[in-house]
Amino acid sequence: MKKNLILLIMIIFINIIASLSSDFASWYAKNISKIFINTLGRLFSIFPFSVFEWLVIALIIGLLVIIFKYRSLTLTLRFLLILVLFFSLTTGINYHRKPLETEMNFTRLTYNNDDLKNLANYLTTKLETANISELDEQTIKDTAKIAINQIIPGYYPNAKPMFFSNFMTMCNLSGIFSPFTIEANYNQKMPTYNKPFSICHELSHLAGYMSEDEANFLGYLACIKSDNSYFNYSGYLTAFIYVNNALRKNGQDISEYYDRLPQTVIDDLTANNEFWNQYGDFLSSLTNTVNDTYLKINSVSEGTNSYSMFVDLLYSYSKAENLF
């Protein structure tokens, strides 16, 4: 029990310090987190497959063995505490870093429906002239590392396709960051246009940006600033969906923006909807609940709603840059 108490004290101490000092959390994310990327990230990048999903299976089996074979509450707690401590060191602290807009020197603005319509018009214009030429999987992975490096310089391992991608689709997951193997994993079955944005999103988590709105924004920024036109397309189309969803939620008519889209874009959107709706919503709803709880435990009070808060950053950045 003494070892368990020491582990628990370490976990509590680490998380209290991080929650009380965003300066410390930001310093940690920019300096200490890089150590994990350059050690564990480099180590597991040797494997062409996602080590994370197999590790999860191994950890579940290990936990079951401890519970049913050794029947020891002490060992079970120690097993779980070690996992929580490791998570806190590689990931948990980073949730408390300073807001991204502070680091990038712009202000998160409030906006109304007219502001969102101006943003939707800007994104629609970009899509009207988009050069849509799909890329192969390897080119997407290689280009994603270059794209995110232009936004957040550093070492990035290759993104990994998930073997259980069909299960990810059932859970409505396009990607997942591994805090134990420092891998950026993605759903290899999802429509191609999703992949540049989703991979850049997951790679931004490796750089210590854990908030989903910030990861979405960095994924978008990496895509639109890339020299690759298909990455530009992926970024603008994903942003277009988020902004129009926000307008629809506010009861606004968004048909005019969809009416302006080229047929190739409409085809991508149609295929995308069919793909994510193919298994129904029971498991995806359950996954959303789990993810919502996970985010709130890690001080993201908005939970899964934080994904759509990407629109806040998108609008504020666009205004700061006088893009429309």
Side-chain angles (χ1 to χ4, degrees):
M1 287 298 295
K2 183 178 179 181
K3 292 180 180 179
N4 287 357
L5 181 61
I6 292 173
L7 287 170
L8 181 60
I9 291 172
M10 289 175 65
I11 292 168
I12 294 173
F13 177 77
I14 288 170
N15 284 280
I16 287 177
I17 294 297
S19 64
L20 292 177
S21 176
S22 59
D23 286 328
F24 166 74
S26 293
W27 172 84
Y28 188 96
K30 292 176 182 178
N31 296 279
I32 305 302
S33 287
K34 289 184 178 180
I35 297 175
F36 295 111
I37 297 174
N38 282 290
T39 52
L40 293 175
R42 288 183 186 274
L43 172 64
F44 290 109
S45 69
I46 297 172
F47 303 94
F49 57 88
S50 171
V51 178
F52 170 66
E53 53 190 335
W54 302 106
L55 177 63
V56 169
I57 294 172
L59 290 174
I60 292 173
I61 293 173
L63 180 60
L64 292 175
V65 168
I66 293 173
I67 293 173
F68 294 106
K69 182 177 180 180
Y70 295 99
R71 302 176 183 273
S72 170
L73 179 60
T74 299
L75 286 179
T76 301
L77 286 175
R78 187 172 307 160
F79 182 89
L80 295 174
L81 286 170
I82 289 173
L83 291 181
V84 173
L85 177 60
F86 195 86
F87 171 84
S88 297
L89 292 172
T90 63
T91 305
I93 293 174
N94 297 341
Y95 274 101
H96 301 281
R97 69 184 300 164
K98 291 180 179 178
L100 178 62
E101 62 268 27
T102 301
E103 294 185 7
M104 296 186 66
N105 296 315
F106 67 89
T107 303
R108 191 180 289 231
L109 304 173
T110 56
Y111 49 83
N112 55 35
N113 287 328
D114 287 336
D115 295 323
L116 283 183
K117 288 178 180 179
N118 289 332
L119 179 55
N121 180 66
Y122 165 75
L123 295 168
T124 305
T125 300
K126 289 293 185 181
L127 291 171
E128 285 179 309
T129 57
N131 180 12
I132 308 170
S133 300
E134 283 194 10
L135 304 173
D136 63 79
E137 198 96 344
Q138 190 58 51
T139 300
I140 290 176
K141 291 192 291 184
D142 293 341
T143 306
K145 291 197 296 182
I146 296 171
I148 197 68
N149 220 307
Q150 292 176 332
I151 306 302
I152 318 165
Y155 166 75
Y156 293 93
N158 288 320
K160 306 285 190 70
M162 295 282 276
F163 179 80
F164 295 104
S165 285
N166 285 331
F167 181 71
M168 289 185 72
T169 303
M170 294 177 191
C171 296
N172 200 32
L173 293 173
S174 58
I176 186 168
F177 161 70
S178 164
F180 303 110
T181 57
I182 317 299
E183 292 174 299
N185 304 284
Y186 68 93
N187 183 337
Q188 63 179 320
K189 302 291 186 179
M190 64 183 170
T192 306
Y193 95 80
N194 284 277
K195 293 177 181 177
F197 177 88
S198 296
I199 291 175
C200 287
H201 171 112
E202 298 306 329
L203 288 174
S204 74
H205 284 324
L206 268 69
Y209 293 90
M210 301 312 303
S211 295
E212 298 300 340
D213 57 335
E214 295 183 353
N216 269 350
F217 177 71
L218 290 169
Y220 164 80
L221 208 59
C223 283
I224 67 164
K225 288 185 174 294
S226 171
D227 294 331
N228 188 287
S229 60
Y230 194 68
F231 269 67
N232 301 159
Y233 171 63
S234 178
Y236 286 125
L237 184 52
T238 305
F240 174 90
I241 294 170
Y242 271 94
V243 172
N244 278 280
N245 282 347
L247 283 168
R248 184 189 292 112
K249 186 177 181 181
N250 293 343
Q252 302 299 302
D253 181 15
I254 58 175
S255 59
E256 63 176 290
Y257 308 115
Y258 282 87
D259 289 342
R260 289 164 51 191
L261 295 176
Q263 187 58 45
T264 48
V265 180
I266 295 296
D267 290 343
D268 268 350
L269 289 173
T270 301
N272 184 64
N273 288 335
E274 291 175 352
F275 175 80
W276 292 110
N277 292 329
Q278 63 181 305
Y279 294 112
D281 61 1
F282 171 74
L283 194 54
S284 62
S285 296
L286 179 61
T287 303
N288 184 72
T289 300
V290 172
N291 193 23
D292 185 69
T293 303
Y294 160 80
L295 290 170
K296 288 176 178 177
I297 288 174
N298 284 285
S299 301
V300 181
S301 58
E302 300 83 4
T304 51
N305 288 330
S306 62
Y307 285 92
S308 59
M309 288 174 63
F310 154 53
V311 175
D312 300 1
L313 290 170
L314 174 59
Y315 173 78
S316 302
Y317 172 80
S318 298
K319 291 298 289 184
E321 295 294 312
N322 295 312
L323 297 181
F324 62 87

